Amino acid sequence: MAPRDPAPAGRSVNPTGVAGASDVPAFHLSMGRVALTVNDLDRVAAFYEQAVGLHLLRKDGTTVELGAGGDVLLELRGDASARRRSPREAGLFHTAFLLPSRVSLARWTHHAARTRTPVVGASDHGVSEALYLSDPEGNGVEIYADRPASAWKWHDGMVDMPSDRLDIEALLAQANGVKWDGFPVGSKVGHVHLQVGALAPAEAFYAGALGLDVTCRYPGGTFYAADGYHHHIATNIWNSRGAGIRDYPSTGLAEIELRLDASRAAAIRARAEAPEGTAGQLLLTDPWGTSVAVIAR
């Protein structure tokens, strides 16, 4: 095997190659909750509980919050009269839920097979192993686990993220006969993948205004991150080339959250020339009207 390129400056790796807290960069930016507008609140909430494995944290007549370890990862906002979003529009491609270990991913995969959850894809991305599904209203979902950061391959500041066949049998062998019991503590939204109308204005917003690094380019797709992660945000035009500004109210993505340190939040606010919202929150919209809440912590 050819030697791996050293990690770019600012990206820490563990030379032992053993996954652990010291094997990932010290992230000062993370994804917060993802909010979706749905027509059938009960049906979609049941999917995320039963098929995906999120835990119900709060429910009222119009909103459901789901997550892991007490942390809200997904907020569902019910609106029976909202227009159903077309898959050709800008908006959500998928929400990617990051499990804390490969063992957890193996147990989820056993659970999906046992419950006949309709998985629509599976890939080995080099940096991670991932399975894909779609919720009852067409919102994409990724369930994944990262490989050790020491195994990520970087070339000239870009991370190698192929879409190779996932070795399902090797993954399932990691479950050790333990049944899935829902998302464990430490699970999070690892990244959010968006559909956009064009890549150049997307890069102007996500790299320019938000200050994220471009970490990978695919034909028709661009990936962004901070602090040496492979990606926190991705944008593509595979289904949505030429899409215009989103027409609300509609189902689909309502808002994503970026949580970061106060100095980075202040820099974003200065670049955007935007006033600060409530409680240190800055509300921005990308060129297609997708809402991004920047939250200082």
Side-chain angles (χ1 to χ4, degrees), residues 83 85-92 194-199 201-202 206 236-237 239-248 250 253 285-291:
R83 176 185 62 85
R85 170 182 171 259
S86 163
R88 296 291 182 183
E89 294 180 39
L92 186 69
L194 302 171
Q195 296 189 169
V196 298
L199 294 181
Y206 289 101
N236 77 65
I237 56 171
N239 299 318
S240 55
R241 183 188 297 271
I245 296 174
R246 298 174 62 192
D247 181 19
Y248 294 101
S250 73
L253 184 62
T285 56
D286 79 1
W288 297 274
T290 295
S291 180

Side-chain angles (χ1 to χ4, degrees), residues 40 45 70 72 75 82 84-85 87 93 124 139 158 190 215 233 235 243 250 263:
D40 191 332
V72 178
E75 177 184 325
R84 184 63 66 91
R85 170 182 171 259
F93 189 63
D124 183 338
N139 298 296
M158 297 287 183
T215 57
I233 298 285
T235 59
S250 73
S263 62

Side-chain angles (χ1 to χ4, degrees), residues 125-190:
H125 293 301
V127 297
S128 63
E129 295 172 290
L131 295 102
Y132 298 89
L133 50 161
S134 183
D135 79 12
E137 297 193 2
N139 298 296
V141 179
E142 176 181 343
I143 312 291
Y144 78 111
D146 278 332
R147 282 203 167 90
S150 57
W152 304 352
K153 297 178 181 179
W154 295 87
H155 307 279
D156 299 324
M158 297 287 183
V159 68
D160 185 21
M161 287 195 294
S163 291
D164 294 334
R165 184 185 66 85
L166 180 63
D167 189 338
I168 295 287
E169 294 303 319
L171 176 62
L172 291 173
Q174 300 295 308
N176 299 322
V178 178
K179 288 187 177 180
W180 172 252
D181 191 30
F183 270 44
V185 173
S187 302
K188 62 185 72 174
V189 175

